[in-house]
Amino acid sequence: FPEMLSNPELVLVQGSLKVVLKQNVTLCCRPGSGPAPVRYTLFKHREQVSSVNSSLLAPVLFNLTISSASDVGTYKCKVEYNTSSDGKYSNSLAFTLTEPISKPVLSSPTSQAKKGQNVTLSCFSENGSLPITYTFFKGNQTISSQKMMKREAAVIFLFVNSFADSGTYKCKASNSFPNCTKYSKSFNFTLAEERSYSQPLIISLGLILLLLVIGLALAIPLFIIPSYKASE
């Protein structure tokens, strides 16, 4: 009879394939054609999770609790006759763990920029399931949004052209974890004031003039006093 048994179907009847810790899910293994009795076995990868003997060719439910990251992965069910080592496997269902995102950090190599300078801003969340979407703001205005498939920082490049480009920047991070969006602390850019080219010149001329005055003050006694004595 084993060759008369067709492949079963594994379906999710409670919960979702994107799970959080301590979530309960229910899988249903629906048998194909073939006479009873049948053994139903649930596997995670190649490891047996649970097994049920049934005298009827009817769907069997498997209740699971996602207690840790080791509980996620690919599941299959197998149906077989009690007297046979052969059996038929179902399709696969893969669970992925959704982790809440951590507060992102917004940083830059410099907090002061000169006019005409290019500066970078990076936003990074250390924890949280991928992918992560990072959004950059200047004030309340969105300036960039990036979806990162790897655990790496999102980076934007800013060209500082005027005082309007300085100010307060923020970023936010979000992923598929429900109702979880985190914002970074504010980061402030200031525009460095450019010194006028005339200022160093004025300072230099002032120093030269001061040296001339000091020189004259020292030279007067050397020339005037000997002349005065000679006239006597």
Side-chain angles (χ1 to χ4, degrees):
F1 297 110
E3 62 271 13
M4 298 175 59
L5 192 64
S6 62
N7 293 83
E9 180 185 14
L10 185 64
V11 295
L12 180 69
V13 294
Q14 179 186 341
S16 65
L17 294 179
K18 291 184 177 181
V19 294
V20 298
L21 291 180
K22 299 182 180 180
Q23 180 177 337
N24 295 320
V25 295
T26 301
L27 298 176
C28 177
C29 187
R30 296 174 178 170
S33 60
V38 174
R39 177 191 296 272
Y40 299 79
T41 306
L42 183 68
F43 292 89
K44 177 182 171 290
H45 300 299
R46 295 182 179 180
E47 179 184 355
Q48 180 175 322
V49 177
S50 181
S51 183
V52 175
N53 291 329
S54 175
S55 59
L56 299 174
L57 197 64
V60 170
L61 299 179
F62 295 97
N63 297 308
L64 304 174
T65 299
I66 307 301
S67 301
S68 66
S70 62
D71 294 324
V72 300
T74 302
Y75 286 80
K76 286 184 177 183
C77 71
K78 178 183 179 183
V79 293
E80 57 189 332
Y81 287 92
N82 292 331
T83 57
S84 173
S85 59
D86 295 329
K88 298 288 185 177
Y89 286 90
S90 72
N91 56 296
S92 300
L93 289 179
F95 289 99
T96 57
L97 184 64
T98 303
E99 181 185 11
I101 207 156
S102 61
K103 186 174 183 177
V105 175
L106 184 64
S107 61
S108 175
T110 180
S111 61
Q112 190 176 68
K114 296 180 180 179
K115 187 177 180 180
Q117 181 180 351
N118 286 311
V119 295
T120 60
L121 274 177
S122 64
C123 185
F124 179 69
S125 290
E126 186 174 351
N127 298 313
S129 51
L130 298 171
I132 299 175
T133 300
Y134 295 99
T135 305
F136 293 84
F137 300 89
K138 182 181 182 298
N140 295 323
Q141 181 181 1
T142 301
I143 57 176
S144 177
S145 184
Q146 301 178 27
K147 188 174 185 178
M148 309 302 294
M149 308 304 294
K150 297 181 179 179
R151 194 165 298 282
E152 56 189 15
V155 178
I156 62 171
F157 301 91
L158 301 175
F159 178 71
V160 180
N161 191 42
S162 66
F163 280 103
D165 297 317
S166 62
T168 302
Y169 289 82
K170 277 188 177 182
C171 72
K172 75 173 181 180
S174 60
N175 62 2
S176 58
F177 194 88
N179 303 318
C180 185
T181 297
K182 298 290 180 66
Y183 286 83
S184 71
K185 292 183 179 179
S186 299
F187 187 91
N188 293 319
F189 270 118
T190 57
L191 191 63
E193 294 183 2
E194 297 181 356
R195 289 186 175 181
S196 172
Y197 290 106
S198 61
Q199 288 181 346
L201 180 60
I202 293 173
I203 294 173
S204 299
L205 290 175
L207 290 174
I208 293 172
L209 181 60
L210 179 62
L211 291 174
L212 287 174
V213 171
I214 295 173
L216 288 173
L218 294 174
I220 288 174
L222 295 176
F223 289 98
I224 295 179
I225 295 176
S227 300
Y228 176 75
K229 290 182 176 182
S231 62
E232 291 180 349

